[in-house]
Amino acid sequence: SVCFSGVCGGEFSVLRSPQWVAFRDGSWPIPGERIPDVAALTMGFSVEEDLPWPGLAVGDLFHRPQATVLVTVKGVDKLPVKGFSYPIENAVPFSLDSVANSIHTLFSEETPVVLQLAPSEERVYMVGKANAVFEDLSVTLRQLRNRLFQDSSVLTSLPLSSLSRNNEVDLLFLSELQVLHDIASLLSRHKHLARDHSPDLYSLELSGLEEIGKRYGEDSQQFKDASQILVDSLQKFADEMFNLYGGNAVVEVVTVKEFNSPLSRKTRSILQASQSTKENPYNLAYPYNSDYSVIFNIVLWMMIGLALAVIVISYNLWNMDPGYDSIIYRMTNQKIRMD
């Protein structure tokens, strides 16, 4: 259930956000590996390292968004969406699992909604109330194809222009738009999920536009029409999710040209230690965390203080005069005993 996303360039856009989440207008680049930290900070969760990124200012500590929606679009560097946009630099694989774990840890008894979905790869992860609410959501390619030809599908409302209903690549792109529509539709039938006290997380990955670019070319009319349809669908989806949560949701879009590496899980064989080469040929020390200097100073000065205290106490005990100490030593005097 671990979903990794790697970006190679691209843009991070904030379509909708409440007024107490302060995003600043500018062109400050954001590291790709810190995108989950931005999502965590906007929801009021702490992160392991400080985020020195001026795009996100300190907001209201007493108001936090009830939902974070992050949509990753593959196949294009940027889209002309409305909102704050920031370039992505140093793109490395990132995951929203840390945010999901924070939600599970702090709101385990309230069973919040956590939905991670990649329709083109039939990869889905539902936890909490999402298991019951989104159980009818089409997630496989066969289910999505059947859903498109129903009466309430997006085919009846979208201007297809140069796109075709008979092409598998076009249907994949349209099926991802159908998922966006169905998520908002299902949530509108269960509005109580947006009114509880637990925050929700939605992470969606769309790659239909990338397939259209590979099939027709990025200069084709199909790619241009698909890009415009996607922009309109994302804006509509952002507005619907924002309104369903009463204006207390953050909707973000990450546009990427291509992935650095395929989605995979890191595994290790039990025979790897004897068959593989040494992972650290230069015998480098392991990296320390940000608290190392603080802990080092606390231990160092505490040990120095204790050592000095032992030396001073030992010196005074060694040179102590029993005659000037307590009455126990002075009671040996004959005159004191007679008095």
Side-chain angles (χ1 to χ4, degrees), residues 120 141 145 148 163-177 207-217 220 222-223 226:
S120 63
L141 296 179
R145 182 182 178 88
L148 278 176
L163 301 180
S164 174
R165 301 186 181 187
N166 301 322
N167 194 298
E168 293 294 334
V169 176
D170 298 356
L171 290 178
L172 173 62
F173 170 75
L174 296 173
S175 64
E176 293 179 342
L177 303 184
S207 59
L209 185 62
E210 181 184 28
E211 297 300 326
I212 289 182
K214 293 179 179 179
R215 175 66 182 273
Y216 301 106
S220 63
Q222 290 87 346
F223 186 82

Side-chain angles (χ1 to χ4, degrees), residues 6-55:
V7 290
C8 197
E11 195 172 57
F12 174 76
S13 303
V14 182
L15 275 61
R16 299 299 297 267
S17 63
Q19 59 183 357
W20 42 80
V21 178
F23 283 97
R24 296 174 177 173
D25 189 8
S27 58
W28 301 288
I30 176 174
E33 71 273 9
R34 303 307 301 271
I35 292 178
D37 292 340
V38 174
L41 291 173
T42 56
M43 300 188 74
F45 302 138
S46 60
V47 295
E48 294 183 359
E49 298 181 6
D50 294 335
L51 180 63
W53 182 57

Side-chain angles (χ1 to χ4, degrees), residues 20-21 42 59-65 248:
W20 42 80
V21 178
T42 56
D60 192 349
L61 299 178
F62 301 98
H63 294 85
R64 291 301 178 184
N248 195 14

Side-chain angles (χ1 to χ4, degrees), residues 125-179:
Y125 176 60
M126 299 182 187
V127 178
K129 297 178 181 178
N131 290 328
V133 176
F134 298 105
E135 61 181 356
D136 297 331
L137 185 67
S138 300
V139 292
T140 65
L141 296 179
R142 178 176 296 181
Q143 292 175 347
L144 291 171
R145 182 182 178 88
N146 296 333
R147 178 70 180 89
L148 278 176
F149 292 97
Q150 295 179 3
D151 295 336
S152 58
S153 69
V154 295
L155 294 179
T156 60
S157 59
L158 289 179
L160 299 183
S161 301
S162 59
L163 301 180
S164 174
R165 301 186 181 187
N166 301 322
N167 194 298
E168 293 294 334
V169 176
D170 298 356
L171 290 178
L172 173 62
F173 170 75
L174 296 173
S175 64
E176 293 179 342
L177 303 184
Q178 183 66 53
V179 172

